[in-house]
Amino acid sequence: MDLIDEAARKIESMEVRGAARIARFAAETLREYAKSVKTNFDEEMRRASERLMNTRPTAVSLFNAINYVMSYSGENDEEKRESLIRRAEEFIEWVDTAREKIGRTGAKRIVDGSTVMTHCNSSAALSVIKHAFDEGKDIRVIATESRPRHQGYLTTKELADYGIDVTLIVDSAVRYFMKEVDVVVVGADTITVNGALINKIGTSQIALAAKEARVPFMVAAETYKFSPKTLLGELVVIEERDAREVIGGDLLEHPNVTVRNPAFDVTPRDYIDLIITEIGAIPPEMAYIVIRDHLGYREFGGEEITL
Ligand code: RUB
């Protein structure tokens, strides 16, 4: 289990982060682990997948990745191993091709001369922005800092290195700058069955400011970010991280001070104009169809069935 413990540690410490990267990494890790398992294949793989599943609770991409890879079949351990490896590779291919398709589709919604606001560091959202730039559109990006982990610095560097003009702002300056923005593009950790978006903390405030200013709010999300668990009535768990990510020193020790650090928030579907997926640009109301037809889940007499 060393390989699995090491991978779990990388996800927990956010060395590997972002919903798509976490999912891809989990599929790769299970594939590599499967190659090394000598006996009790089912039991070993079950323990490994449970360990990975318990690393970060919010992004459903991790659940969908593990579920996809672990739906292997076979008569004996060798057949099961081959099946699992094949499924892991299919999932990795899904991640890579979906990001590309989302980029192409989403770029059509960004017109020449636009200012685009983005939050955190989403590979899917950045794919949209980069595609628009590659098409020769003159665009400028406003990137939020995304406290406390500052993923906005990653976004700023990635886009600036790509040749795009980026303005970095603190999270609390979102409403101040909204009047300059033509479109907001963010990523997703989870899309629920009722079309709500769970993404980096602060996303819902941006959506609120965008709605007030009548600025379109787009989400770039692969279909594996849609949550079958919410179809079965489960609520999305919002990860709350260590207070020391927010502040250090005396305040943290003060008996009358509590520091809260939720990593994600919920944006209701009414604030979302469009979700750009690899199967097209869809309204949030279509989330159920995606879960049913593309993730193969349906509720049947209160029982979960995988199609
Ligand atoms: C990352 C985050 C990203 C989504 C989408 O949070 O909220 O917006 O995961 O990213 P964290 P992607 O840094 O806490 O993991 O489009 O790359 O999947």
Side-chain angles (χ1 to χ4, degrees):
M1 286 281 278
D2 282 359
L3 178 84
I4 297 298
D5 287 333
E6 174 64 8
R9 192 200 55 73
K10 283 188 178 161
I11 300 174
E12 280 159 355
S13 67
M14 291 175 64
E15 194 177 323
V16 176
R17 49 144 297 280
R21 287 187 192 89
I22 292 171
R24 194 182 192 285
F25 181 63
E28 276 173 353
T29 305
L30 289 175
R31 179 190 63 191
E32 292 315 304
Y33 189 61
K35 289 179 187 168
S36 72
V37 170
K38 303 235 174 347
T39 50
N40 291 334
F41 189 81
D42 291 336
E43 175 59 15
E44 285 292 328
M45 291 314 303
R46 190 190 57 73
R47 283 194 331 142
S49 58
E50 265 171 24
R51 175 70 185 97
L52 292 176
M53 194 80 93
N54 290 329
T55 48
R56 294 193 73 190
T58 303
V60 76
S61 55
L62 179 62
F63 169 89
N64 282 334
I66 292 173
N67 203 36
Y68 190 91
V69 175
M70 291 297 288
S71 300
Y72 60 82
S73 57
E75 295 291 312
N76 53 47
D77 282 3
E78 246 357 277
E79 283 180 20
K80 288 175 185 172
R81 191 191 324 273
E82 270 173 32
S83 166
L84 185 146
I85 291 171
R86 206 170 36 249
R87 292 188 71 78
E89 274 157 12
E90 277 166 19
F91 188 85
I92 291 166
E93 172 83 8
W94 183 3
V95 174
D96 295 342
T97 54
R99 190 193 313 115
E100 182 63 23
K101 285 185 194 157
I102 287 171
R104 281 204 302 272
T105 305
K108 295 188 187 135
R109 307 290 300 222
I110 297 182
V111 297
D112 192 26
S114 290
T115 294
V116 184
M117 181 178 276
T118 191
H119 186 50
C120 195
N121 178 253
S122 154
S123 54
L126 296 198
S127 176
V128 171
I129 293 169
K130 286 178 181 171
H131 269 83
F133 179 76
D134 290 345
E135 288 169 6
K137 290 172 186 163
D138 176 24
I139 55 168
R140 167 185 169 237
V141 172
I142 298 182
T144 53
E145 203 177 22
S146 313
R147 269 210 21 106
R149 297 290 296 228
H150 303 116
Q151 292 93 330
Y153 298 172
L154 300 173
T155 292
T156 301
K157 175 149 178 36
E158 189 174 335
L159 293 180
D161 286 350
Y162 206 73
I164 299 172
D165 176 6
V166 189
T167 304
L168 177 69
I169 63 169
V170 296
D171 301 315
S172 43
V174 160
R175 188 163 177 262
Y176 181 86
F177 283 105
M178 194 53 82
K179 57 185 172 301
E180 296 178 22
V181 177
D182 298 292
V183 60
V184 176
V185 186
V186 296
D189 283 86
T190 293
I191 307 276
T192 66
V193 71
N194 59 346
L197 162 70
I198 288 83
N199 192 49
K200 181 53 55 195
I201 190 79
T203 302
S204 67
Q205 285 179 169
I206 299 177
L208 193 62
K211 195 175 180 77
E212 179 195 40
R214 296 186 172 209
V215 171
F217 183 92
M218 291 202 304
V219 181
E222 301 85 339
T223 50
Y224 61 79
K225 309 265 180 73
F226 287 68
S227 172
K229 298 196 272 187
T230 61
L231 174 64
L232 304 166
E234 273 190 43
L235 292 170
V236 177
V237 176
I238 302 289
E239 175 184 7
E240 185 133 358
R241 296 185 65 86
D242 200 311
R244 282 169 297 189
E245 288 187 345
V246 179
I247 198 170
D250 293 352
L251 264 187
L252 204 52
E253 309 302 329
H254 197 295
N256 293 341
V257 174
T258 306
V259 179
R260 301 280 308 270
N261 184 21
F264 302 98
D265 67 16
V266 183
T267 303
R269 67 157 185 254
D270 296 351
Y271 294 83
I272 300 167
D273 289 285
L274 214 51
I275 304 178
I276 314 290
T277 76
E278 75 277 18
I279 56 162
I282 64 164
E285 288 77 8
M286 258 181 67
Y288 170 69
I289 310 285
V290 173
I291 294 168
R292 191 191 64 191
D293 294 353
H294 294 274
L295 295 174
Y297 275 87
R298 181 176 286 179
E299 202 194 10
F300 188 74
E303 296 260 328
E304 169 188 349
I305 58 161
T306 308
L307 301 175

